[in-house]
Amino acid sequence: MGNDDHRRRKTPCGFCMAVFKWIPVVFITAVIAWSYYAYVVELCIRNSENLVGMILMLFFYHIALILFMWSYWRTIMTSVGRVPDQWRIPDEEVTRLFRADNPETQKRILNSFARSLPVTNRTMNGSVRFCEKCKIIKPDRAHHCSVCNSCVLKMDHHCPWVNNCVNFYNYKFFVLFLGYALIYCLYVAFTTLHDFVQFWKGQLNGSGVGRFHILFLFFISIMFAISLVSLFGYHIYLVLVNRTTLESFRAPVFRVGGPDKNGFNLGRYANFCEVFGDDWQYWPLPIFTSFGDGISYPIRHLEDDSETLLGYHSDTRIELDEDCLPESRFLHSIP
């Protein structure tokens, strides 16, 4: 898993694509760097006449900026992780699997590996999920990302703005990133509102270029805030119902109960703690505190499933193309 991606990066085309995927991150970083100059230099240092007010503005501004950038960086740099080796089928068995001339043979091969694995998710026809690209049995809530070229644990979606998959290991960071980005934009908008009004009245002090920096800072902060408020609200909702973006569009299928969007819903507080942990002191910090291992998850109807491990009575078959699609097509993927 990941070897094909490594080989692609060695080619000139693969290297160019790897660089191209960082463009959105560079763009966001450049906007933040410009906003820092416009706010700190043009608004506070060159335009403020109240020293105490300027210090307070800069103090709260830097707190919001540090939390924002810290969360953003953790979201970008956190690895998608890897599926443990016991979920991988050896190459010789994969060859037998693909050469099998009937579903029953395929079923026996897969069951010999999946019977001891804690999988409760199924396909629409009740079979165990198998990734032919990574050659693994997929853990619950895991999906194959064509951009990352690997199976991602508790995959939410692939986000080009962080050049990473939002997954089990960085989902808390991603939600905090959205929240702090919204706070940052709202803080900048509210603290530049007075100067924006003064600009339209023609009473704003400073040079012509500096005044336009403040004007654009207000507009851009409002524009980003409008975009972020709906996205942040949506992911807070997903946290509270214990659902990923993929699962919100295509309900996960369980061995007991069939398709159920609320299959992982344990109650709002328990759902929140599954992502943010149970120590409130760490909730606002981009420090990993999520519960679990990313492989198995408590489910709402677990008590109804007397066999949480895969048995030989399951209907198993190969899924060749499941979830092997890029983000732009994930609505049509099959979890």
Side-chain angles (χ1 to χ4, degrees), residues 35 45 291:
S35 70
I45 296 178
F291 289 162

Side-chain angles (χ1 to χ4, degrees), residues 83-89 97 106-107 109-115 117-122 127-132 134-140 142 151 153 295 310 316-318 322:
V83 178
D85 290 337
Q86 59 263 35
W87 295 75
R88 180 187 298 277
I89 299 178
L97 188 66
Q106 296 175 346
K107 179 178 178 178
I109 295 172
L110 289 177
N111 279 338
S112 66
F113 291 94
R115 62 181 176 179
L117 299 176
V119 286
T120 62
N121 284 172
R122 299 292 188 268
S127 63
V128 172
R129 302 187 308 144
F130 172 72
C131 179
E132 62 91 18
C134 298
K135 300 178 178 60
I136 61 169
I137 302 296
K138 291 184 180 180
D140 290 351
C151 281
L153 299 177
I295 299 295
L310 177 65
T316 308
R317 72 180 182 87
I318 301 176
E322 179 192 353

Side-chain angles (χ1 to χ4, degrees), residues 13 20-21 26 53 63 73-74 76 78 90 101 114 128 131 136-137 150 165 196 208 223 228 237 250 274 289 293 328:
C13 182
F20 180 78
K21 289 189 291 186
V26 173
I63 290 178
W73 189 250
R74 289 301 305 272
I76 294 172
T78 300
D101 54 1
V128 172
C131 179
I136 61 169
I137 302 296
S150 66
C165 264
F196 174 74
M223 179 184 68
L228 286 166
Y237 164 75
R250 176 83 64 166
E274 188 171 302
T289 54
D293 56 4
S328 61

Side-chain angles (χ1 to χ4, degrees), residues 22 29 57 64 102 118 142 151 160 165 171 199 223 237 252 258 283 299 313:
W22 282 100
T29 304
M57 286 173 61
N102 62 78
C151 281
C165 264
Y171 188 57
F199 175 86
M223 179 184 68
Y237 164 75
W283 288 351
I299 57 178
H313 298 291

Side-chain angles (χ1 to χ4, degrees), residues 34 185 188-189 192 196 199-200 212-226:
W34 166 79
C185 291
V188 170
T192 55
F196 174 74
F199 175 86
W200 284 112
F212 279 106
H213 274 294
I214 298 173
L215 175 66
F216 287 129
L217 183 63
F218 175 80
F219 275 122
I220 291 176
S221 61
I222 288 293
M223 179 184 68
F224 275 99
I226 292 173

